[in-house]
Amino acid sequence: MLAQLDELYAQSLDSLATAVNTAVLDTWYKDTLGRKGSIYLLTRQVGQLPAAERPAFGQRVNAVKQELETAYEARLAELKAAELQAEITASAIDVTLPGRKQWRGGLHVATQTLREIYRIWGDMGFQVYRSRDVETDEYNFELLNIPPHHPARDMWDTFHTTTPGVILRTHTSPGQVHAMHEYYPEPIRVILPGMCYRYEQITARSELQFHQVEGLAVGKNISMADLKGTLTDFARRMFGAERQVRFRANYFPFTEPSAEMDVECIICGGDGCNVCKYTGWVEILGCGMVHPTVLRNGGYDPAVYSGFAFGMGPERIAMLKYRIDDIRYFWGNDLRFLEQF
Amino acid sequence: MLVPISWLKDYVDISMSPAELADILTIAGLEVEGVDYIGIPGGRDKNRLVWDRDKLVVGQILKVEQHPNADRLVLATVEYGGDETEVTVTGAPNLFQYLSQGDLSHLKLYSPFAMEGVELYDGHKEGQVKMVLKGRPLRGIHNRCMLCSEKELGLSDDHEGIMILTGDYTPGTPLQDVLGDAVISIDIIPNIARCASIVGVAREVAALTGQKVRYPSYDVVMEGPPVAGKVQISTDHPDLNPRFTAMIISGVSQKPSPGWMQRRLKLAGQRPINVVVDISNYVMLEMGEPNHTFDYDFLRRRADQYNGPDGPVHIITRLPNEGETVTTLDGVKRELPETTILVTDPAGALSLGGIMGGEESEISAATTNVLLEAAAWNFINIRRSATLLKLNSEAGFRFSRGVHPSQAILGAKRAAELLRQLAGGTVWQGVIDYYPNQPEVAPMRLTAVEVKRLGGIDLTNTQIKEMLEALEFTVEDQGDALLVTSPDFRLDITGTHDLVEEVCRMYGYDRLPSIEMGDTLPPQRSNTRLEQEERVKDILVKQGLQEIISYRLTTPEREAKLLPPGIGAPPDDRPYVTLANPITVDRVTMRHSVLASVLETTAANSRFKSHIALFEIGLIYLASEEGVLPDELGRLALVLTGPQQKFFWQSGGDSAALDFFDLKGVVEGLIGALHIDNFSVEAAAHPTFRPGRTARLLLGEKQLGLMGEIHPLVVEAFDVRNGYPVLGLELDLELLLAAIPPWHHIEPVTNYPAILEDVALVVDRLTTAAQVEEQIRLAGGYLLKAVELFDVYEGQQVGAGKKSLAYHLTFQSPNKTLTDKDVKKQRQRIVQQLERNLGARLRD
Ligand SMILES: [Zn+2]
């Protein structure tokens, strides 16, 4: 019977080796080591052996079982690995096929630029102060030292409404006076963003509405030197630390002295191109020391207080940074434009 | 203002290049908009012609003879500084007059002379096309050189004949040295009105380069009879016409002005007319005082009528009478605004003071005696009148920006003397000078402390004094302060802040110190409203929507598209804020609806995109019941349309359309992310939206806004063309932001297991999902964590007029593991409550 067992063992190992897949292997297991398998059937015949031989036979059966189990496990692992390999090979994909696209939302480029401006000025202690779009002539002009019919009014082509004395603000400067009235006698550092309106044809270069961000600082110890330092810091953060800036004299009725800040052309790096009209510089903002009349109109005594103000156009800044050559893209809201930001 | 450097050099030395000059002027506040180079190197335009110094020179024409083989050509013998003279063939019509006159050297006929190989503009081609001069035979005579027209040199479009240079020259002088020039163009902003003249610019250059201005001479040789008693001047409005000066010049001849004057006028942008008109313009450009010449004999004839032959011409400046008109010298008969100050005599109006002369009193070809006016006018009044008249003139440009009365008499004298020198006139003795209220000039006290306080520069009194004196201020150093008096040509200095600017300009804006702000930091405040607005934007962007910013100007007609045709009343019947001066017919009123803006943008994009998901946060403008200013109210509008899924190659591109519930999901996502908890939705009706697919958004009892599928007729009116349903919403941003809690509390995260239960309930068809869910939540209590509708069924299985709603219910306890018994009890309560309150029954 031992010989029978050894023969069965040898046969089983042979057929194990020929099992080509896990399904065949499962059958082999059932037939060999299963509850009604060949090993079991053989052990049932143990009663036919003399009692003295039985322990040795039993040991041998257990050893054979153990070895077959081990051989089975090894073969199973081998076959599983082969099957996985086959499946992986069969299911390879072309990774260069296009991906499944997601809808992507976005902020308008003007909003993105405004936020950048808010962030830089926020770091310097300037907070956002907003005021209305539809304004009185008094706040838009007169309190800013621009009397009726003054030639300075030529600087702002104005939309008038059918209500006399009511206009669409031409700049966010009215907010300067509103802020001064609200905060007197505290020192002030605010920026004044908002939509402004000018009586201008809509062309690649001019728009009838545009954002402006003005700034106002009022205190007892503020001079042109503070203005220059603060605005230079702003320009370096907005356009890059290595960027050169220059200040030149200019005119605004609500500031005196007044200046314009130019930044080294970011397109040509100062060599000259059609964007900077071959000067190497582009105008970024107007600024100056708050005119004593404006301080007085805001409630601040110009003999005690001084301050600076500045104004810039976020769209213009965005046009320079992203090389947008037509301002009409901004309110045209063509998704093929907006989705590029 | 065009400033030829050659002209500027009359009054100040210039040793730097035009580009360097442009730079220092720009930094000092005279913004140079461009430099036009004429014949000389400079600038960055590579296509511009630079005159060759060796091959383009002054030539003197010595002889003109007929070409032996051609009637229309002549042979000119030219001395050009070479070893021999050169004979050149030309067809210039202006040389034929010199044919066969022998030696012409006494005539001093000079012309630009170009030699073989030189680059010129082609005289026969449109515009400026460069060519190289090549020698070639012309009707049998070899021609190597050329006498040039203005067009060939790039000076003008004139190719009628060769250019004749007036004056004395040495043949062979490079043309660059004779006609080469640079013209700088300066933007005259309101505070530099004093620079709207060549002398005005020269003053700035002198101050910036440490020189003194060489002023033109204001001396006049007066050899005519005395003017006293011949002219009388009076005004009704010394405030509008503070000064009026008059001189008489007799015997002028109206020939062309000299070449140098014509050339300067042309470079400065003026067309030469005749010597009398040209002198008037020249003086205005030179020193900034516009002046006017009347036909004196015309005035005299009228005076004979109103004052008798011995009475004076009486000039009166006054405002117009009712209905009065004046025909100006451009031939236009003008109705006069009531503010327009007129120069008149007792017989009627003569001219518009400071703006334009009248046709009747204007000098004519026959005029030999002129009355010269140089006056001062109130600049605000001139600007107002010129604007109302829509009349732009060089005089009006200057007077509307301010010309100091001191300049009037200088302008009169300068023009009179030039009329004597160049037009052969005789100047009558004396000037009639009417200046009733000459203002006192009050000195200002300026301290070095003030210069430091505003300008940020540490300077001594002496340094400040020098800077201001360079600009012709009179400065007296009193030790503790400087007593400063403005020069008489300046109107823009009103206080010490203006003096500080002058000091900064002289010091150099580029040299001003630059420091970190050291002043007290104001109290720091958050702008909560703005921060909330930006938060709403961020939430919507995360949900895949694109922000847009639209024009806030629209028209009522455009917004009326929100209502299908036949529906009368607009959504808000408060009046629009309307422009009095719209620039285009489609931007006339301030908008009442942001949704209309977003729908317009949707339509525009629908031509090339099918999936469109947009939102805008912006203001609407509603006339206020109190006060003249409108209420400016925040609105959020949102539009979704198109396929739900992006095109993907695997599915063949098919996708369901975005529908009401996509829009509602966005809203719920927004409300959830803002942690607003009293939000609900109910069915509503509104003409903009499709009936049966319209909902009202509520915060508590208040209407937050409306949303739904846009009515097909509205979609058609806006012309959205992607072929999908359009979902839209507009809500009250003010109400939404006010409802955002400043902070919220979180729910603890529990590790006790959740138990899921499904329940299907049959209710009346008209019972809403919101009602059912509300009842489930009320009965479910705190153990009920989530209610999720997963099926809605209507049909035979539940019977007519009924529907079945099936929910996943999630139960979870924060502090224990729930048993089946706990959940069963909870579920039973829910079913009972729904049976009781909504007549629901469990679906089998
Ligand atoms: Zn550039």
Side-chain angles (χ1 to χ4, degrees):
Chain A
M1 244 172 124
L2 264 176
Q4 236 178 317
L5 181 64
D6 286 343
E7 192 182 337
L8 183 59
Y9 173 58
Q11 275 172 3
S12 298
L13 279 181
D14 281 353
S15 56
L16 181 67
T18 57
V20 292
N21 58 37
T22 49
V24 176
L25 196 65
D26 279 352
T27 312
W28 176 92
Y29 190 86
K30 227 162 63 192
D31 293 351
T32 312
L33 293 166
R35 273 201 291 154
K36 292 187 175 160
S38 48
I39 303 290
Y40 170 75
L41 294 176
L42 190 64
T43 54
R44 275 181 51 182
Q45 299 173 24
V46 74
Q48 299 170 12
L49 279 179
E53 288 176 30
R54 285 183 199 168
F57 180 73
Q59 276 174 7
R60 181 65 189 142
V61 167
N62 283 338
V64 165
K65 265 177 156 174
Q66 197 62 51
E67 279 164 37
L68 285 175
E69 282 283 354
T70 307
Y72 165 77
E73 291 295 341
R75 183 64 185 152
L76 180 65
E78 207 177 305
L79 282 176
K80 273 191 166 167
E83 280 174 17
L84 179 62
Q85 187 53 51
E87 198 224 314
I88 285 172
T89 308
S91 60
I93 55 170
D94 176 358
V95 297
T96 66
L97 283 167
R100 203 170 269 113
K101 293 189 183 64
Q102 307 300 310
W103 300 122
R104 185 174 69 102
L107 289 170
H108 193 282
V109 55
T111 300
Q112 295 186 33
T113 312
L114 281 166
R115 284 188 180 185
E116 199 174 347
I117 294 170
Y118 298 161
R119 197 159 49 236
I120 296 170
W121 287 107
D123 289 351
M124 295 195 267
F126 286 72
Q127 282 133 12
V128 176
Y129 185 95
R130 297 196 289 185
S131 66
R132 52 172 39 260
D133 285 20
V134 183
E135 260 295 358
T136 57
D137 187 90
E138 183 189 10
Y139 273 83
N140 195 77
F141 290 122
E142 289 166 46
L143 292 174
L144 294 166
N145 196 33
I146 314 163
H149 309 294
H150 192 275
R153 289 207 176 197
D154 291 343
M155 295 165 76
W156 302 275
D157 292 316
T158 308
F159 279 124
H160 299 272
T161 72
T162 48
T163 307
V166 176
I167 59 158
L168 307 191
R169 67 174 167 195
T170 58
H171 42 201
T172 56
S173 319
Q176 292 188 21
V177 186
H178 290 300
M180 283 192 271
H181 288 166
E182 189 170 332
Y183 294 145
Y184 177 81
E186 287 174 5
I188 298 176
R189 283 186 208 180
V190 291
I191 54 170
L192 310 135
M195 196 64 90
C196 301
Y197 307 83
R198 301 250 173 105
Y199 179 84
E200 290 205 30
Q201 296 291 349
I202 302 174
T203 69
R205 295 262 139 229
S206 69
E207 255 295 359
L208 55 76
Q209 87 175 19
F210 55 91
H211 282 108
Q212 195 181 46
V213 181
E214 292 213 355
L216 173 71
V218 176
K220 292 182 177 170
N221 181 28
I222 295 176
S223 77
M224 283 291 279
D226 298 285
L227 175 154
K228 233 182 129 171
T230 310
L231 290 175
T232 304
D233 281 353
F234 167 77
R236 299 250 157 94
R237 283 194 60 186
M238 195 75 195
F239 298 103
E242 72 292 346
R243 200 61 59 189
Q244 294 297 308
V245 299
R246 78 170 182 185
F247 287 79
R248 55 188 168 83
N250 207 317
Y251 170 73
F252 304 102
F254 32 83
T255 52
E256 186 80 25
S258 301
E260 185 87 21
M261 184 175 80
D262 298 339
V263 174
E264 192 185 16
C265 180
I266 64 175
I267 310 272
C268 65
D271 292 342
C273 66
N274 60 353
V275 171
C276 60
K277 294 188 213 141
Y278 296 99
T279 61
W281 297 97
V282 284
E283 289 178 24
I284 289 302
L285 54 83
C287 55
M289 300 300 293
V290 183
H291 196 284
T293 302
V294 178
L295 281 173
R296 213 175 288 119
N297 290 340
Y300 289 78
D301 178 359
V304 180
Y305 291 90
S306 57
F308 65 74
F310 56 85
M312 67 186 94
E315 282 87 56
R316 179 166 167 72
I317 290 173
M319 287 175 85
L320 287 170
K321 289 186 99 164
Y322 300 107
R323 301 198 188 183
I324 302 165
D325 59 5
D326 190 332
I327 198 170
R328 288 172 294 198
Y329 281 130
F330 284 89
W331 322 135
N333 291 310
D334 189 319
L335 286 168
R336 295 169 296 183
F337 170 72
L338 294 179
E339 285 171 355
Q340 293 187 49
F341 297 93
Chain B
M1 173 81 201
L2 296 175
V3 181
I5 293 206
S6 57
W7 192 352
L8 193 59
K9 282 180 172 170
D10 275 11
Y11 317 109
V12 69
D13 291 335
I14 291 164
S15 51
M16 65 189 87
S17 73
E20 286 165 336
L21 180 66
D23 258 3
I24 68 157
L25 287 175
T26 298
I27 296 288
L30 283 71
E31 189 182 347
V32 174
E33 293 175 310
V35 182
D36 191 10
Y37 292 86
I38 297 164
I40 61 169
R44 302 188 199 228
D45 183 356
K46 303 279 182 294
N47 294 320
R48 206 178 38 79
L49 181 68
V50 175
W51 299 333
D52 190 297
R53 291 190 67 85
D54 299 326
K55 292 179 176 166
L56 198 47
V57 299
V58 175
Q60 184 176 6
I61 301 165
L62 300 176
K63 200 160 58 177
V64 178
E65 293 159 304
Q66 185 65 53
H67 190 294
N69 307 325
D71 287 350
R72 319 224 16 157
L73 295 174
V74 295
L75 304 176
T77 306
V78 182
E79 159 68 51
Y80 67 97
D83 298 338
E84 291 172 17
T85 57
E86 175 80 15
V87 174
T88 180
V89 183
T90 173
N94 56 342
L95 281 188
F96 281 74
Q97 55 186 307
Y98 303 110
L99 264 177
S100 315
Q101 291 187 8
D103 183 10
L104 300 170
S105 51
H106 64 285
L107 291 178
K108 296 182 179 171
L109 270 181
Y110 299 102
S111 179
F113 183 73
M115 291 173 241
E116 191 168 8
V118 78
E119 201 170 38
L120 293 169
Y121 289 123
D122 192 329
H124 299 287
K125 292 204 174 124
E126 270 301 302
Q128 298 190 324
V129 181
K130 281 195 208 168
M131 60 138 197
V132 175
L133 183 63
K134 290 194 185 93
R136 66 191 169 111
L138 276 173
R139 291 299 199 89
I141 295 185
H142 190 76
N143 189 42
R144 301 190 300 173
C145 300
M146 186 164 88
L147 293 164
C148 306
S149 68
E150 292 193 8
K151 182 175 167 74
E152 284 158 338
L153 297 171
L155 292 170
S156 75
D157 287 337
D158 187 358
H159 192 54
E160 269 301 292
I162 59 162
M163 186 179 181
I164 299 293
L165 303 170
T166 47
D168 284 316
Y169 303 93
T170 307
T173 308
L175 195 66
Q176 268 198 28
D177 297 348
V178 176
L179 292 180
D181 211 336
V183 180
I184 59 178
S185 163
I186 295 174
D187 182 16
I188 302 294
I189 51 180
N191 71 328
I192 58 160
R194 66 182 186 283
C195 298
S197 67
I198 309 292
V199 166
V201 175
R203 279 195 199 106
E204 296 290 321
V205 175
L208 292 165
T209 56
Q211 304 179 58
K212 288 242 179 296
V213 180
R214 291 187 293 273
Y215 280 102
S217 168
Y218 297 114
D219 295 335
V220 193
V221 176
M222 300 182 185
E223 292 168 329
V227 77
K230 299 292 182 192
V231 180
Q232 181 194 354
I233 294 166
S234 61
T235 181
D236 297 350
H237 293 277
D239 52 328
L240 302 182
N241 173 209
R243 190 175 195 177
F244 198 108
T245 66
M247 296 177 78
I248 296 172
I249 301 95
S250 55
V252 299
S253 64
Q254 294 189 44
K255 56 188 178 185
S257 57
W260 62 265
M261 181 176 273
Q262 292 195 25
R263 179 167 159 68
R264 284 184 169 185
L265 290 174
K266 278 198 245 175
L267 289 174
Q270 287 273 324
R271 195 164 54 89
I273 312 277
N274 65 47
V275 70
V276 178
V277 176
D278 290 357
I279 287 170
S280 179
N281 284 331
Y282 184 83
V283 169
M284 174 183 71
L285 292 171
E286 181 188 47
M287 49 79 65
E289 170 67 24
N291 52 85
H292 186 66
T293 44
F294 294 97
D295 182 328
Y296 176 67
D297 295 335
F298 170 80
L299 299 180
R300 185 60 252 168
R301 280 196 297 279
R302 283 158 63 115
D304 288 350
Q305 300 294 314
Y306 61 74
N307 262 349
D310 298 326
V313 166
H314 188 183
I315 302 284
I316 305 156
T317 59
R318 60 164 170 84
L319 293 177
N321 301 320
E322 194 154 336
E324 192 168 6
T325 59
V326 169
T327 302
T328 41
L329 53 82
D330 52 7
V332 181
K333 183 175 175 183
R334 299 185 185 266
E335 317 241 330
L336 303 172
E338 57 182 12
T339 56
T340 303
I341 184 119
L342 301 175
V343 178
T344 70
D345 66 9
L350 300 170
S351 72
L352 309 181
I355 299 177
M356 192 174 273
E359 191 175 54
E360 232 185 344
S361 59
E362 187 62 13
I363 54 164
S364 66
T367 303
T368 54
N369 303 322
V370 301
L371 182 135
L372 176 70
E373 164 208 317
W377 310 96
N378 175 296
F379 70 103
I380 291 205
N381 190 55
I382 295 291
R383 181 182 175 276
R384 177 161 47 183
S385 294
T387 308
L388 291 170
L389 286 160
K390 297 187 175 69
L391 183 50
N392 296 315
S393 67
E394 288 281 334
F397 176 88
R398 286 169 177 77
F399 280 129
S400 69
R401 283 162 175 75
V403 180
H404 198 286
S406 67
Q407 303 299 295
I409 194 145
L410 301 179
K413 288 179 170 177
R414 178 70 174 148
E417 177 63 11
L418 287 176
L419 285 168
R420 187 187 73 81
Q421 290 177 14
L422 305 176
T426 303
V427 182
W428 292 22
Q429 289 173 49
V431 181
I432 306 290
D433 183 9
Y434 184 73
Y435 195 7
N437 306 316
Q438 188 164 355
E440 285 288 318
V441 184
M444 291 161 282
R445 271 175 61 87
L446 178 68
T447 62
V449 173
E450 185 67 0
V451 170
K452 169 76 174 167
R453 184 178 81 101
L454 291 180
I457 335 167
D458 287 301
L459 293 173
T460 63
N461 278 7
T462 315
Q463 287 171 308
I464 297 169
K465 185 169 188 283
E466 276 172 12
M467 290 177 186
L468 291 174
E469 282 174 345
L471 288 162
E472 301 186 37
F473 286 83
T474 309
V475 185
E476 186 190 326
D477 189 350
Q478 296 191 317
D480 59 337
L482 299 163
L483 219 52
V484 184
T485 310
S486 298
D488 67 4
F489 51 83
R490 292 196 67 160
L491 285 168
D492 61 313
I493 305 292
T494 61
T496 50
H497 51 286
D498 294 310
L499 296 177
V500 173
E501 180 171 86
E502 294 307 293
V503 171
C504 289
R505 289 198 316 122
M506 284 300 109
Y507 185 78
Y509 271 52
D510 44 347
R511 288 173 59 214
L512 290 175
S514 177
I515 61 172
E516 297 298 321
M517 268 174 95
D519 196 53
T520 320
L521 192 68
Q524 296 286 289
R525 301 175 175 87
S526 296
N527 189 325
T528 310
R529 168 66 210 258
L530 175 71
E531 285 160 13
Q532 288 176 331
E533 224 176 272
E534 298 301 312
R535 198 171 138 201
V536 170
K537 289 182 186 174
D538 284 337
I539 294 165
L540 293 171
V541 166
K542 273 186 207 158
Q543 300 198 65
L545 278 79
Q546 172 66 47
E547 186 199 8
I548 62 164
I549 300 177
S550 308
Y551 288 101
R552 295 173 182 188
L553 281 162
T554 181
T555 61
E557 294 72 32
R558 287 164 79 144
E559 295 205 328
K561 288 193 282 189
L562 285 171
L563 303 173
I567 308 268
D572 194 299
D573 53 8
R574 283 206 256 173
Y576 278 97
V577 174
T578 304
L579 295 184
N581 59 332
I583 197 156
T584 157
V585 289
D586 57 350
R587 307 276 172 217
V588 177
T589 52
M590 297 297 277
R591 69 181 173 191
H592 276 184
S593 163
V594 179
L595 180 58
S597 301
V598 183
L599 282 170
E600 285 183 358
T601 299
T602 304
N605 279 290
S606 70
R607 279 148 228 270
F608 46 83
K609 266 199 160 36
S610 55
H611 174 97
I612 298 167
L614 305 174
F615 75 93
E616 175 164 9
I617 282 182
L619 296 172
I620 62 163
Y621 306 82
L622 301 177
S624 168
E625 263 111 58
E626 52 213 75
V628 294
L629 296 174
D631 294 330
E632 301 186 350
L633 304 168
R635 292 286 184 268
L636 161 64
L638 200 153
V639 166
L640 296 180
T641 181
Q644 280 176 340
Q645 305 296 323
K646 274 211 173 176
F647 176 86
F648 187 58
W649 50 272
Q650 224 168 35
S651 59
D654 291 341
S655 164
L658 288 164
D659 65 19
F660 179 90
F661 298 105
D662 290 289
L663 176 63
K664 193 174 175 196
V666 169
V667 175
E668 287 166 344
L670 173 65
I671 298 290
L674 294 173
H675 304 283
I676 294 173
D677 60 6
N678 58 344
F679 171 75
S680 62
V681 172
E682 63 182 26
H686 185 280
T688 299
F689 299 97
R690 181 182 175 125
R693 295 186 182 179
T694 308
R696 177 177 294 113
L697 310 176
L698 294 163
L699 285 182
E701 299 291 298
K702 289 186 189 153
Q703 175 167 328
L704 178 62
L706 289 168
M707 70 168 187
E709 187 177 322
I710 304 291
H711 197 291
L713 293 174
V714 175
V715 171
E716 196 181 306
F718 276 94
D719 198 17
V720 180
R721 303 181 171 184
N722 62 345
Y724 286 84
V726 179
L727 295 315
L729 127 82
E730 175 155 326
L731 59 77
D732 182 339
L733 191 70
E734 313 294 338
L735 201 59
L736 180 77
L737 300 186
I740 301 174
W743 49 76
H744 66 278
H745 300 286
I746 62 138
E747 295 228 348
V749 177
T750 169
N751 285 327
Y752 293 101
I755 296 182
L756 286 176
E757 273 285 318
D758 287 353
V759 60
L761 297 153
V762 178
V763 292
D764 271 355
R765 208 181 142 260
L766 293 178
T767 305
T768 66
Q771 287 172 305
V772 175
E773 185 174 329
E774 184 191 13
Q775 293 298 322
I776 293 174
R777 285 189 185 276
L778 281 173
Y782 78 104
L783 292 177
L784 179 63
K785 285 290 164 215
V787 179
E788 192 173 33
L789 180 69
F790 70 89
D791 185 49
V792 180
Y793 172 77
E794 281 179 54
Q796 284 183 341
Q797 293 181 27
V798 293
K802 296 282 180 188
K803 68 180 172 189
S804 154
L805 300 172
Y807 294 89
H808 294 307
L809 305 179
T810 308
F811 295 94
Q812 194 173 29
S813 163
N815 47 27
K816 66 167 197 173
T817 301
L818 291 178
T819 63
D820 283 353
K821 219 175 104 192
D822 296 329
V823 172
K824 199 150 283 170
K825 208 169 85 192
Q826 235 28 56
R827 187 177 188 275
Q828 210 163 5
R829 278 185 51 179
I830 290 170
V831 173
Q832 280 167 358
Q833 172 131 348
L834 278 137
E835 282 171 353
R836 194 164 56 245
N837 292 348
L838 295 177
R841 63 178 168 80
L842 268 182
R843 185 176 172 193
D844 338 296

